[in-house]
Amino acid sequence: MLRIHNTLTGRKDPFEPLVPGTVRMYVCGVTVYDDCHIGHARSALVFDVIRRHLEYSGFSVTFVKNFTDVDDKIIKRAHERGKPWQEITAEYIEAYYRDMGRLGIKPATVEPKATEHMAEIIGLVQELIRKDVAYQVNGDVYFQVERYGAYGRLSKRKMEDLQAGARVEVDERKRHPMDFALWKGAKPGEPAWESPWGPGRPGWHIECSAMAMKHLGETFDIHGGGMDLIFPHHENEIAQSCAATGKEFARYWLHNGFVQINQEKMSKSLGNFFTIREIFEKSEWPEAITGEILRYFLLTTHYRSPLDFSDQGLREAKNVLDGFYDLFKRLAEAGQSSSGADDELPFDIGFAEVTFKNGMDDDFNTPVALAALQQLRGAINKLIQKGLSTEARKAAREKFRSLGDVFGLFQLNTWQFNPLKKIAREAVTALKEERMPDSAIETRLAERIEAKKKKDFKLADEIRAELASQGITIEDRPDGTSRWKR
RNA sequence: GGCGCCGUACCCAAGUGGCUAAGGGAGCAGUCUGCAAAACUGCGAUGCGGCGGUUCGAACCCGCCCGGCGCCUCCA
């Protein structure tokens, strides 16, 4: 039984979708005016994994993730660069797909853009005016917060509390300080769409309500996003959606914790953020491996807890993954008839599967699920020592592949550095260009095996030292062959 | 001022009332190996920020305190 922590109730609730066997979920995507940072990566990854786990659990999932492609920040950026705003959004949507692709984030089922839903947005605003919960002031339309009695139920805030600490500058045209814009009249030169209130653009919150309703219906199962969206964004989405339809909007609200740098929130305003792009460009590992390291690292902490980003954390993730891929290398080799090890394998696998699933079913506890995989790694290493058949090895590798798929891990066939691919990439440092090609390594390795056969250990050690200076580690196997890795 | 979160070994990180406090990384020792590497084995918190309280029993519940953080404004 899957249980999910619901921000709305403040508890872990048993998950029961509205329509049995199907899940409809909406996650707030990004505003496309800049490169994505690790915080975006974490959020995207968390919901990617949640989606994958739901699918793994047998649900048919409709996953909607939007792009906010019209907004004040975009207009500002366009102005700064002297470019049309459409060029800014196109550029960063492309960057988004590049970065998320590197991270192995699966595209959502539907990825709607605000600018392509003007009719729905305008219709929703009209409905709110018709119901007398929104009002027009010149070319703007505001949602009247006092008309929605349950305002504050998501963020657990009272209207009075909000006002007390409010640092919002009072807009005289609003009837209540907390009222928020549904539609903003356009100033000259700003992007604008025709509406009953004159040319303008949607407010930030309304687009999500309109797009969620269009693609998922008035009431759906899961709505997610970063913790910072609880207030005001999601609170406002609930208010305007419920006021418009008279029905519940989303039933389970999920929010991921922040990525921090040195115990502090990572944010644009503090200037202490890393973009996904720079992490990949600075990485000494090829793209696919860097992506997997990053995924593993981001999943070592439960999605609701804060996560401190650090090079040390990344290095540790690499070490752990090395252990897994070393095992996979062994599993790819021929085995010998076992002494009962084959019979023990299903027990170890079954145990890991149950632990994995129980962990994930408990509010997507990825650290517990990861621990199950680590235990399985140890168990199978022991079985290999006892003697595991070729078939059993294949079965074990397949199990890692299928369980790992929930996290997007363990899908690579080789965990080795590929210099040709690396050189093809843009940001290659001189150091990296001097990497030894695989063929040269293989040649030296063959020479070393010859030397070993002749008991010329001096030469063998020299060759190993030479390769070691290139960052290459050699493993001699009992049968006289050798493996190498970077 | 209001609302809320966190503090578990050198590091990461589960556990939130009841077997010896998961798992991993790093480290050390050992087995194996020509030497290594990998793998395996062993070691590692008598204690879960501190002090009280509730309870037969608490890392887990309550209170106070210390330390750190977030939201209340655009923000994943």
Side-chain angles (χ1 to χ4, degrees):
Chain A
M1 183 51 167
L2 174 60
R3 301 196 320 138
I4 299 181
H5 179 89
N6 188 350
T7 309
L8 206 51
T9 60
R11 290 188 314 256
K12 275 187 205 172
D13 293 328
F15 179 67
E16 287 164 19
L18 217 46
V19 178
T22 72
V23 178
R24 287 170 290 169
M25 62 186 281
Y26 186 94
V27 172
C28 289
V30 295
T31 301
V32 279
Y33 74 105
D34 206 348
D35 278 324
C36 291
H37 55 59
I38 327 246
H40 297 111
R42 185 181 190 193
S43 186
L45 177 61
V46 159
F47 289 104
D48 182 50
V49 167
I50 287 173
R51 179 254 196 108
R52 287 174 191 242
H53 179 63
L54 290 168
E55 286 173 346
Y56 175 79
S57 303
F59 289 105
S60 164
V61 180
T62 305
F63 178 31
V64 180
K65 181 161 63 178
N66 72 296
F67 284 110
T68 297
D69 62 345
V70 55
D71 139 291
D72 294 353
K73 291 188 292 291
I74 294 169
I75 295 169
K76 187 168 167 243
R77 181 59 47 95
H79 188 73
E80 286 165 4
R81 301 229 180 129
K83 280 185 185 174
W85 61 272
Q86 292 94 331
E87 269 184 40
I88 300 291
T89 57
E91 177 186 339
Y92 287 110
I93 286 173
E94 198 187 323
Y96 174 90
Y97 281 119
R98 178 199 62 213
D99 291 342
M100 295 302 167
R102 287 166 160 176
L103 267 170
I105 307 289
K106 291 209 300 198
T109 321
V110 186
E111 302 190 329
K113 300 182 179 79
T115 52
E116 291 171 0
H117 291 75
M118 284 302 156
E120 289 82 1
I121 291 169
I122 290 168
L124 191 55
V125 176
Q126 281 181 304
E127 177 65 9
L128 289 166
I129 291 176
R130 197 182 68 75
K131 292 216 160 127
D132 197 28
V133 292
Y135 55 94
Q136 184 184 350
V137 181
N138 302 325
D140 298 340
V141 179
Y142 289 99
F143 183 86
Q144 192 167 359
V145 166
E146 287 169 306
R147 299 277 290 149
Y148 181 65
Y151 194 77
R153 69 189 169 112
L154 181 71
S155 55
K156 315 278 183 272
R157 291 183 165 99
K158 300 190 183 87
M159 293 275 283
E160 310 86 73
D161 298 340
L162 287 166
Q163 282 178 71
R167 278 171 277 166
V168 199
E169 40 195 289
V170 182
D171 186 336
E172 292 303 326
R173 302 173 308 162
K174 290 192 204 173
R175 295 182 189 170
H176 186 283
M178 296 312 298
D179 288 354
F180 57 90
L182 296 171
W183 188 263
K184 295 177 169 183
K187 298 188 193 86
E190 290 183 346
W193 285 260
E194 280 310 319
S195 81
W197 319 286
R201 64 180 184 277
W204 175 34
H205 318 295
I206 195 71
E207 57 167 285
C208 285
S209 291
M211 290 189 279
M213 284 187 206
K214 170 164 185 196
H215 298 286
L216 297 172
E218 291 180 339
T219 305
F220 54 96
D221 301 301
I222 293 175
H223 193 130
M227 247 152 189
D228 48 351
L229 297 183
I230 295 173
F231 190 89
H233 185 52
H234 288 163
E235 195 69 64
N236 291 352
E237 273 189 56
I238 291 176
Q240 67 202 5
S241 304
C242 294
T245 66
K247 296 174 189 162
E248 182 60 290
F249 184 47
R251 302 167 63 240
Y252 297 85
W253 288 82
L254 277 67
H255 295 96
N256 66 273
F258 288 121
V259 174
Q260 308 181 326
I261 306 285
N262 296 326
Q263 317 293 320
E264 255 190 343
K265 176 183 174 179
M266 183 176 80
S267 73
K268 296 271 172 73
S269 42
L270 289 169
N272 60 345
F273 63 93
F274 293 92
T275 63
I276 300 172
R277 177 211 284 263
E278 51 183 327
I279 288 169
F280 275 93
E281 287 177 357
K282 283 195 319 201
S283 171
E284 56 183 304
W285 309 105
E287 197 163 295
I289 291 176
T290 303
E292 186 148 1
I293 292 170
L294 218 40
R295 284 183 82 95
Y296 190 97
F297 169 70
L298 292 170
L299 293 171
T300 52
T301 301
H302 183 87
Y303 78 92
R304 285 192 283 116
S305 302
L307 166 65
D308 222 60
F309 183 77
S310 66
D311 284 341
Q312 191 194 323
L314 252 30
R315 237 178 290 121
E316 192 169 302
K318 171 67 167 61
N319 287 344
V320 175
L321 286 166
D322 277 343
F324 278 108
Y325 277 92
D326 281 343
L327 168 60
F328 300 159
K329 220 181 285 176
R330 254 166 259 134
L331 289 175
E333 290 161 359
Q336 60 280 78
S337 328
S338 66
S339 55
D342 278 19
D343 301 330
E344 290 176 48
L345 182 64
F347 174 81
D348 288 335
I349 286 178
F351 185 78
E353 272 183 314
V354 169
T355 310
F356 184 97
K357 176 140 176 62
N358 286 346
M360 289 303 285
D361 278 349
D362 182 15
D363 195 30
F364 310 106
N365 196 331
T366 53
V368 166
L370 248 19
L373 295 173
Q374 287 169 331
Q375 268 177 307
L376 183 61
R377 173 176 60 132
I380 291 179
N381 269 326
K382 278 168 221 163
L383 294 184
I384 287 177
Q385 286 201 333
K386 289 174 80 171
L388 207 54
S389 70
T390 305
E391 295 69 39
R393 287 171 190 240
K394 278 185 185 150
R397 172 71 246 236
E398 268 323 295
K399 188 50 67 179
F400 276 109
R401 209 179 275 277
S402 63
L403 286 176
D405 191 40
V406 177
F407 293 161
L409 299 174
F410 309 151
Q411 306 303 307
L412 300 177
N413 288 321
T414 156
W415 185 247
Q416 289 185 351
F417 186 88
N418 182 338
L420 293 176
K421 190 179 166 197
K422 183 82 171 182
I423 284 164
R425 288 181 45 220
E426 33 182 345
V428 186
T429 64
L431 177 76
K432 287 168 188 165
E433 281 171 1
E434 286 163 14
R435 293 262 182 181
M436 222 170 149
D438 287 12
S439 57
I441 295 168
E442 300 288 356
T443 305
R444 294 300 278 159
L445 207 58
E447 287 166 15
R448 181 169 170 278
I449 289 168
E450 271 310 302
K452 273 176 61 186
K453 276 185 190 159
K454 294 176 190 156
K455 303 276 181 204
D456 184 355
F457 296 122
K458 185 167 176 289
L459 177 59
D461 287 348
E462 276 169 15
I463 293 174
R464 179 164 54 208
E466 176 198 328
L467 293 178
S469 72
Q470 299 293 311
I472 293 151
T473 309
I474 291 170
E475 284 180 36
D476 292 336
R477 305 186 56 219
D479 63 5
T481 61
S482 300
R483 303 188 189 99
W484 65 274
K485 68 174 178 185
R486 296 206 191 240

